[in-house]
């Protein structure tokens, strides 16, 4: 099962880096809130980019 | 109400563009999803010197944090090169700087809408007519200016830019630290495979008691380790007991700026147009320079888009050529061993031995950059394709 991702609001600093590398424009950053929308293609770019690990794997695993 | 220009992004490029257009009696609106101007500060805040800055704005001492007095480069913990460079630049209070730009703009009628996310561009046939807001409203304008940083959503909606490849994104993390470590007015850079492979750590002076300490990693197609990990290790070994404040993260585009910076009435400036230095990830002066050029072309364009193409053409000249050389240097840096980097630093020192123009100490000539490339000839040659882009 391919992984899905979510943003840890407590850690996120809303810099928009994850959104910059998202090919599906699925990361929605708002003031004080970030979320990954339903059109996420589960490529994991946001997860790999985030310098402070604020993007979490919420289901599935990275090996599939 | 229809505006002359709608600017997406209230950071340096967007605010400067808006301020200058407003000063020329344009009806301007700047929209940003953030709730405050200049917060959070997304970078190390070091930029050009007072002479360079004053080409664009009248300097107010309240937004200068420190004068930069020199540069020091450390390789794997040892100081490789340290050089006094008087008037090298300044470290800004970037939040105050951006707030000053905003105030100067609004005093001339510029409108700023914060907490206003933009979700797309409005079209009528092939023409872009405005920006669509998340609340369902739209803002109509003759010109749409994308200054929305590394995400470059306006550019993506207009078909000018795409998402950054992982290898094109510089990820960074920074703390403000109360410490006297390297707090001598110099910009300190730490590199080397034992400190931070594929990146560098910076220690920039901020006040007499605080420094900005950050780590940045050049993107990689392979899963890279986090910049935060290297920063934590660095802080633990050099400033273990220092109080940390203001965690910030950021993304800098290291891609070559697109050849087309405008499409119809849509124009890109700053990080959104990828107008950064791909080696140092610096972007403040580039943003001001590009915004200034963009404003001049927009003022000539009033009512038509004819002059906008010359914005692209002008930027495709010297600035983009210089960017290519820095892109090659970045690739050479990443492909080099610690020993080779050490040699390069000494070459760099000799290349810049002759004191450059004091008003522009970091304005590298292409000749000097090419000399530096020649010092790494075999590795630089492998990157020749970049020069054809």
């Amino acid at each position: 099962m391919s992984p899905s991702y979510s943003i840890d609001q407590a850690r996120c600093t809303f810099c928009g880096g994850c959104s910059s590398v998202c090919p599906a424009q699925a990361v929605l950053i708002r003031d004080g809130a970030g979320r990954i929308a339903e059109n996420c293609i589960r490529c994991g770019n946001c997860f790999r980019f985030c310098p402070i690990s604020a993007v979490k794997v919420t289901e599935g695993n990275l090996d599939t | 109400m229809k505006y002359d220009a709608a600017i997406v992004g209230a950071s340096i490029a967007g605010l400067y563009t808006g301020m200058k257009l407003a000063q020329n009696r344009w009806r301007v609106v700047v929209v940003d999803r953030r709730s405050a101007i200049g917060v959070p500060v997304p970078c190390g805040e070091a930029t050009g010197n007072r002479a360079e800055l004053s080409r664009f704005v009248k300097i107010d001492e309240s937004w200068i944090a420190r004068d930069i007095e020199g540069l020091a480069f450390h390789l794997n913990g040892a100081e490789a090169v340290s050089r006094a460079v008087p008037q090298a630049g300044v470290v800004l209070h970037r939040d105050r700087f951006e707030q000053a730009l905003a105030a100067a703009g609004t005093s001339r009628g510029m409108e700023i809408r914060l907490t206003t996310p933009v979700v797309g561009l409005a079209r009528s046939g092939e023409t872009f007519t405005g920006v669509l807001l998340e609340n369902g409203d739209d803002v109509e304008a003759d010109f749409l200016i994308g200054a929305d940083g590394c995400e470059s959503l306006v550019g993506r909606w207009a078909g000018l830019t795409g998402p950054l490849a992982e290898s094109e994104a510089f990820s960074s993390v920074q703390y403000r630290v109360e410490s006297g470590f390297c707090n001598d007015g110099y910009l300190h850079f730490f590199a080397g495979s034992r400190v931070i492979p594929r990146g560098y750590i910076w220690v920039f002076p901020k006040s007499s008691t605080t420094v900005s300490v950050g780590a940045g990693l050049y993107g990689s197609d392979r899963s890279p380790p986090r910049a935060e990990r290297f920063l934590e290790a660095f802080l633990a070994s050099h400033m273990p007991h220092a109080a940390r404040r203001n965690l910030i993260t950021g993304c800098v585009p290291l891609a070559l700026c697109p050849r087309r910076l405008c499409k119809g009435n849509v124009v890109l400036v700053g990080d959104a147009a990828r107008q950064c230095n791909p080696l140092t990830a610096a972007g403040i002066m580039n943003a001001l320079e590009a915004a200034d050029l963009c404003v001049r072309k927009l003022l000539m364009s009033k009512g038509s888009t004819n002059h906008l193409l010359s914005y692209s053409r002008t930027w495709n000249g010297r600035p983009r050529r210089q960017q290519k050389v820095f892109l090659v240097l970045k690739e050479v840096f990443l492909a080099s061993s610690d020993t080779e980097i050490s040699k390069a630093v000494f070459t760099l020192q000799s290349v810049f031995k002759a004191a450059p123009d004091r008003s522009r100490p970091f304005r590298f000539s292409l000749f000097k950059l090419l000399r530096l490339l020649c010092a790494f000839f075999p590795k630089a040659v492998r990157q020749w394709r970049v020069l054809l882009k």
Side-chain angles (χ1 to χ4, degrees):
Chain A
M1 182 180 176
S2 61
S4 65
Y5 303 93
S6 68
I7 296 175
D8 181 345
Q9 305 295 325
R11 273 190 76 66
C12 181
T13 61
F14 316 108
C15 68
C18 49
S19 169
S20 306
V21 294
C22 176
Q25 295 182 31
V27 183
L28 304 177
I29 305 287
R30 300 293 178 260
D31 191 52
R35 72 182 178 88
I36 294 174
E38 285 163 5
N39 58 325
C40 171
I41 57 170
R42 303 185 175 199
C43 65
N45 283 3
C46 54
F47 173 79
R48 286 188 295 276
F49 174 84
C50 183
I52 54 168
S53 311
V55 180
K56 307 283 185 197
V57 178
T58 48
E59 65 181 58
N61 63 66
L62 294 171
D63 298 323
T64 54
Chain B
M1 173 177 169
K2 188 174 183 184
Y3 295 89
D4 294 320
I7 300 171
V8 181
S11 201
I12 288 178
L15 290 170
Y16 181 84
T17 306
M19 177 192 80
K20 294 299 263 187
L21 291 176
Q23 286 171 349
N24 285 279
R25 300 176 189 282
W26 279 43
R27 284 166 299 166
V28 181
V29 61
V30 181
V31 292
D32 197 296
R33 65 182 177 216
R34 293 176 300 168
S35 59
I37 300 280
V39 184
V41 171
C43 74
E45 303 173 280
T47 189
N49 65 16
R50 288 160 193 267
E52 279 187 286
L53 273 175
S54 59
R55 288 168 51 215
F56 304 105
V57 285
K58 189 169 176 288
I59 293 175
D60 181 332
E61 288 301 319
S62 71
W63 34 260
I64 305 280
R66 288 284 291 269
D67 282 293
I68 300 166
E69 292 157 24
L71 303 172
F73 184 82
H74 309 252
L75 194 65
N76 286 326
E79 192 175 276
V81 168
S82 172
R83 187 164 174 231
V85 186
Q87 301 163 40
V90 295
V91 176
L92 288 174
H93 288 298
R94 184 168 160 168
D95 49 351
R96 294 183 199 169
F97 178 53
E98 291 187 4
Q99 286 154 12
L101 292 177
T106 49
S107 72
R108 302 299 291 267
M110 180 174 87
E111 196 180 315
I112 298 178
R113 296 194 201 172
L114 297 173
T115 328
T116 307
V118 173
V119 293
L121 301 180
R123 281 169 181 259
S124 171
E126 287 299 298
T127 314
F128 297 104
T129 56
V131 294
L132 301 170
L133 307 181
E134 193 173 49
N135 64 9
D137 292 345
D138 63 354
V139 175
E140 273 188 89
D142 288 334
F143 290 95
L144 310 177
I145 299 165
D148 47 346
C150 57
E151 287 172 73
S152 192
L153 292 174
V154 171
R156 286 162 79 168
W157 294 324
L160 289 165
T161 54
L164 288 175
E166 286 179 76
S167 57
E168 295 171 336
F170 182 85
S171 67
S172 63
V173 55
Q174 178 188 279
Y175 280 109
R176 189 78 40 79
V177 181
E178 284 178 32
S179 172
F181 177 75
C182 288
N183 195 353
D184 52 7
Y186 278 42
L187 298 184
H188 289 265
F189 297 92
F190 296 77
S193 59
R194 294 207 295 276
V195 179
I196 178 167
R198 294 189 63 86
Y200 65 86
I201 284 173
W202 63 88
V203 182
F204 291 173
K206 181 70 181 175
S207 74
S208 56
T209 55
T210 56
V211 287
S212 299
V213 188
L217 284 174
Y218 298 99
S220 158
D221 292 329
R222 284 165 288 165
S223 284
R226 314 275 176 196
E228 185 185 30
R229 195 184 100 194
F230 297 107
L231 183 60
E232 290 293 342
F234 183 83
L235 287 168
S237 65
H238 293 87
M239 298 169 246
H241 306 299
R244 301 177 196 177
R245 288 185 278 126
N246 304 53
L247 169 71
I248 57 164
T249 60
C251 173
V252 180
L254 304 176
L256 194 59
C257 71
R259 279 192 173 279
R260 290 182 64 191
L261 299 172
C262 54
K263 182 176 182 182
N265 56 341
V266 179
V267 199
L268 305 181
V269 282
D271 284 13
R274 315 311 191 201
Q275 286 159 326
C276 300
N277 182 317
L279 177 67
T280 63
I284 295 177
M285 288 312 301
N286 293 34
L288 286 170
E289 189 127 23
D292 199 61
L293 176 66
C294 178
V295 165
R296 288 203 305 273
K297 301 301 180 186
L298 280 167
L299 292 175
M300 291 161 75
S301 302
K302 181 88 175 159
S304 87
T305 56
N306 294 344
H307 289 281
L308 283 184
L309 291 174
S310 70
Y311 166 55
S312 292
R313 269 201 301 275
T314 310
W315 197 266
N316 281 338
R318 192 166 177 271
R320 193 169 185 273
R321 283 202 300 272
Q322 241 178 30
Q323 200 188 18
K324 284 185 196 176
V325 178
F326 279 113
L327 203 55
V328 173
L329 285 174
K330 182 203 88 178
E331 295 302 332
V332 170
F333 172 73
L334 293 180
S336 300
S337 67
D338 288 350
T339 319
E340 288 167 319
I341 291 172
S342 171
K343 255 179 14 195
V345 169
F346 283 104
T347 312
L348 191 77
Q349 204 182 17
S350 68
V351 164
F352 296 109
K353 211 167 200 170
D357 175 1
R358 281 280 172 245
S359 70
R360 295 179 173 188
F362 294 113
R363 185 56 60 101
F364 305 121
S365 72
L366 281 180
F367 174 70
K368 283 179 177 174
L369 287 171
L370 286 171
R371 258 187 74 187
L372 193 60
L373 274 185
C374 290
F376 296 94
F377 193 66
K379 285 208 163 83
V381 161
R382 276 178 232 138
Q383 303 298 330
W384 62 274
R385 282 187 189 85
V386 172
L387 301 173
L388 301 180
K389 282 184 185 172

